[in-house]
Amino acid sequence: MGYMPSDARYESMSYRRCGRSGLKLPAISLGLWWNFGGDRPFERSRAIVRRAFDLGVTHFDLANNYGPPYGSAEETFGEILRRDLRPYRDELVVSTKAGYDMWPGPYGEWGSRKYLLASLDQSLTRLGLDYVDVFYSHRFDPDTPLTETMGALEAAVRQGKTLYAGISSYSAAKTREAHAILRDLGTPLLIHQPSYSLLNRWIEDELLDTLGELGVGCIGFSPLAQGMLTTKYLGGLPEGSRATFPSSLSPGLVTDETLAKIRALDGIAAQRGQTLAQMALAWTLRDPRMTSTLIGASSVAQLDENVAVLARLDFSTDELAEIDRYATESGINLWAASSSQ
């Protein structure tokens, strides 16, 4: 018998309006950055995605080079769509991006019209879709006119290959420029996707105010600081963790000072009756301008733990003040170069 989603899938998930658009996203979205590539067992990835949909997670976030190898996360999700989720396509928000290196040569990265539109066509083929719901410029390109990059997003919307346009890791100033260009072209900027966590709070300086003013949604990625805001690192660097092999988290980021902050935050989470990961996720959603937060998952059990955060999203003033003592910048923003332009 084929997959049948839970009849109760919309009962416990909360949905938030994306800026001033008509689109709502689940408070918890599933990102397929890690754990869904061709190097992972397909059936495990399939079980996680199916369980996510059963829990009301309707938004699945990808990019052209997610894997490894590049493209394989889209292929994995495309196969899950084909086998299980195709009848529910209109209940899903599927997003993808282009901006980082994807194929060799001068046309395989950054923000040119040629790269973005070619990449989107490739993504649609891997996904087995006629369109995605959101297509992002994955990073700001300092060497391509912003009018060209935003023009490519507008063209993708006009061609019916995406419903909405988004940007990721843009500064507040470049976000304003991108918004104005798209507005003049008749395609609203739907959403911005920045990195955001207890240890990486750069968006609070200016970007959140800008997004709120412009009516643009915000979905934070890496809310668990590449896995640092879990119990995994409380005792140091465990063998087999992300920090012990080439990945987005190098051992140099897990300093003694940062570990001391993480242990203190874990103590606050315990007083709240939450795991450190749950409190970290709830904290990223405390601001009403945050549309959603992106989680990853390496197992169904981990997914269940993270989605369970929805039972406790509130914070007292005293809790937030105590968290602020330890939730300070920790030099882990790997995407700072893009947002500093």
Side-chain angles (χ1 to χ4, degrees):
M1 186 174 179
Y3 165 67
M4 296 290 292
S6 169
D7 290 337
R9 59 188 179 277
Y10 295 118
E11 293 180 3
S12 58
M13 178 58 67
S14 63
Y15 299 87
R16 298 183 173 195
R17 189 167 300 280
C18 193
R20 289 196 288 269
S21 76
L23 183 69
K24 292 183 179 180
L25 295 181
I28 303 291
S29 298
L30 182 62
L32 281 72
W33 180 18
W34 291 94
N35 302 310
F36 296 88
D39 63 336
R40 301 301 170 98
F42 172 77
E43 288 300 331
R44 183 170 67 187
S45 300
R46 184 185 189 188
I48 294 169
V49 169
R50 285 166 48 150
R51 177 60 175 164
F53 188 50
D54 284 342
L55 293 172
V57 176
T58 54
H59 179 212
F60 298 90
D61 181 80
L62 298 120
N64 56 357
N65 63 352
Y66 286 0
Y70 287 177
S72 60
E74 290 180 328
E75 291 171 346
T76 295
F77 190 72
E79 185 63 16
I80 297 168
L81 276 169
R82 187 185 70 80
R83 295 193 191 189
D84 302 316
L85 296 178
R86 180 71 64 180
Y88 311 100
R89 172 64 182 99
D90 292 337
E91 297 182 42
L92 305 178
V93 173
V94 180
S95 61
T96 196
K97 317 177 196 71
Y100 288 95
D101 64 299
M102 181 60 189
W103 61 83
Y107 318 121
E109 64 176 324
W110 292 106
S112 72
R113 182 184 183 93
K114 179 172 177 60
Y115 168 58
L116 292 177
L117 295 181
S119 179
L120 178 54
D121 283 343
Q122 293 179 18
S123 291
L124 292 174
T125 297
R126 286 188 290 267
L127 291 164
L129 293 174
D130 296 325
Y131 70 93
V132 291
D133 297 278
V134 187
F135 182 50
Y136 288 87
S137 166
H138 207 169
R139 61 171 167 171
F140 174 71
D141 181 354
D143 296 321
T144 297
L146 193 56
T147 51
E148 178 176 342
T149 301
M150 293 303 105
L153 296 184
E154 186 273 336
V157 172
R158 183 163 28 86
Q159 293 166 7
K161 295 178 180 179
T162 184
L163 301 183
Y164 299 98
I167 58 176
S168 180
S169 299
Y170 276 51
S171 68
K174 292 303 177 184
T175 296
R176 285 188 181 277
E177 289 185 39
H179 176 272
I181 293 167
L182 285 169
R183 180 194 60 212
D184 290 345
L185 291 171
T187 295
L189 176 61
L190 173 80
I191 193 166
H192 189 298
Q193 186 176 136
S195 60
Y196 185 47
S197 73
L198 286 161
L199 303 177
N200 175 21
R201 302 179 62 168
W202 73 275
I203 70 172
E204 296 174 10
D205 291 339
E206 187 178 0
L207 182 61
L208 267 180
D209 288 340
T210 298
L211 297 177
E213 176 191 335
L214 298 177
V216 175
C218 186
I219 178 169
F221 75 87
S222 203
L224 300 183
Q226 297 96 271
M228 293 170 66
L229 291 168
T230 67
T231 56
K232 183 185 297 183
Y233 295 98
L234 294 178
L237 298 182
E239 188 62 33
S241 67
R242 191 184 291 189
T244 61
F245 63 89
S247 70
S248 62
L249 180 59
S250 67
L253 297 179
V254 190
T255 65
D256 289 343
E257 179 183 359
T258 300
L259 284 173
K261 296 178 188 177
I262 293 170
R263 293 182 182 116
L265 291 167
D266 181 61
I268 299 171
Q271 293 173 4
R272 285 172 50 84
Q274 290 181 315
T275 65
L276 174 57
Q278 288 173 334
M279 185 184 78
L281 294 173
W283 181 88
T284 64
L285 291 168
R286 76 197 187 286
D287 191 306
R289 294 169 295 186
M290 293 297 297
T291 308
S292 182
T293 194
L294 272 169
I295 64 168
S298 59
S299 67
V300 169
Q302 185 183 55
L303 175 75
D304 285 346
E305 175 193 335
N306 288 343
V307 175
V309 70
L310 295 171
R312 180 76 195 281
L313 293 177
D314 61 299
F315 288 89
S316 70
T317 302
D318 288 345
E319 284 175 327
L320 290 174
E322 183 69 6
I323 288 169
D324 280 343
R325 294 179 56 195
Y326 308 103
T328 57
E329 291 297 331
S330 301
I332 65 167
N333 185 0
L334 305 180
W335 307 271
S338 177
S339 57
S340 64
Q341 301 290 335

